Amino acid sequence: HAVVEYEKSVNAQYNWKRRIPASKFGVIINAKGKLKDQDFEEKVFLHANAEAAEAISYGKRHEKDALQKLEQILGVEINKPKKFLDKEHPFLVTVPDGLIEQEKIVEIKCPYKCAKESMESLA
């Protein structure tokens, strides 16, 4: 599929709120019509519980540190992300955590499980 950079405009900002984020694609695909409308809405548009909200908060707090560490390890500069959308399905949109050389997408994961244990101990 063709993917294009999402323009920053008043219309784009309005429409951005009406798009489905990439982080919810798995929920949508796995639902397979088996969820009630309310359950589906909660899973796609809301954070279902406090633990999920805390995990998201943890990831956001540590994302910048992880990006800096990745830059150091790879010896590259990671640029600020842009919004991208699928030309054929403009309701599908993604914002990667960063870009390398404007064409390589960086997606950082900061697992909440690592708040209390190291990755090595969890492996």
Side-chain angles (χ1 to χ4, degrees), residues 43-111:
K43 287 186 179 225
V44 173
F45 299 110
L46 305 173
H47 298 299
N49 58 44
E51 184 178 340
E54 178 59 29
I56 291 167
S57 176
Y58 176 84
K60 287 181 179 182
R61 284 193 312 268
H62 294 281
E63 186 175 293
K64 185 178 177 183
D65 298 333
L67 282 167
Q68 289 175 344
K69 184 68 174 178
L70 184 60
E71 281 182 321
Q72 181 184 24
I73 291 169
L74 298 177
V76 298
E77 180 181 351
I78 298 176
N79 301 303
K80 292 190 182 225
K82 300 174 184 178
K83 295 175 188 172
F84 294 94
L85 64 100
D86 187 299
K87 277 186 174 181
E88 292 181 38
H89 309 301
F91 56 89
L92 300 177
V93 71
T94 188
V95 181
D97 294 324
L99 296 171
I100 299 173
E101 301 171 3
Q102 300 303 314
E103 59 190 40
K104 298 172 187 163
I105 293 175
V106 176
E107 185 62 34
I108 296 292
K109 297 297 172 205
C110 300

Side-chain angles (χ1 to χ4, degrees), residues 104-120:
K104 298 172 187 163
I105 293 175
V106 176
E107 185 62 34
I108 296 292
K109 297 297 172 205
C110 300
Y112 186 56
K113 290 180 179 182
C114 293
K116 296 179 182 164
E117 297 183 52
S118 69
M119 285 292 288
E120 291 81 12

Side-chain angles (χ1 to χ4, degrees), residues 12-71:
Q13 291 301 319
Y14 170 76
N15 286 328
W16 173 249
K17 294 177 184 177
R18 298 172 50 195
R19 298 188 189 282
I20 300 168
S23 61
K24 300 297 182 172
F25 293 176
V27 172
I28 294 165
I29 290 167
N30 291 326
K32 299 179 183 174
K34 296 177 186 174
L35 294 175
K36 294 179 184 177
D37 289 346
Q38 184 176 357
D39 294 337
F40 183 79
E41 180 182 4
E42 286 178 8
K43 287 186 179 225
V44 173
F45 299 110
L46 305 173
H47 298 299
N49 58 44
E51 184 178 340
E54 178 59 29
I56 291 167
S57 176
Y58 176 84
K60 287 181 179 182
R61 284 193 312 268
H62 294 281
E63 186 175 293
K64 185 178 177 183
D65 298 333
L67 282 167
Q68 289 175 344
K69 184 68 174 178
L70 184 60
E71 281 182 321

